[in-house]
Amino acid sequence: MRKEPLSMLAQSDLIDTLIGRCVMRDGAAAGETLLFIDSETLDDLVHLANRLRRLALFEDRIRAMAPQ
């Protein structure tokens, strides 16, 4: 596994890349998508999931500080 987790910007870029591979050229969601995920991307996704899990404990406080 990667020693340092991705920055928040890099994490959002990773998600954008995954989403970009799941839409058609006209922007419509694809009915089905096959993705190739290498071990480095998998590690990044594991770090992202773990970080979100830890942040979930503080979700109410975070929402109060950064209203949408």
Side-chain angles (χ1 to χ4, degrees), residues 10-56:
Q11 290 175 41
S12 66
D13 288 343
L14 171 63
I15 292 171
D16 280 343
T17 299
L18 292 173
I19 291 169
R21 298 192 178 271
C22 298
V23 295
M24 305 300 284
R25 289 178 190 229
D26 65 356
E32 293 180 343
T33 302
L34 295 175
L35 295 174
F36 174 77
I37 298 177
D38 61 20
S39 61
E40 183 177 337
T41 303
L42 178 60
D43 285 347
D44 292 339
L45 290 169
V46 168
H47 281 286
L48 176 57
N50 290 337
R51 181 176 282 184
L52 288 171
R53 221 173 269 113
R54 287 190 304 272
L55 286 172

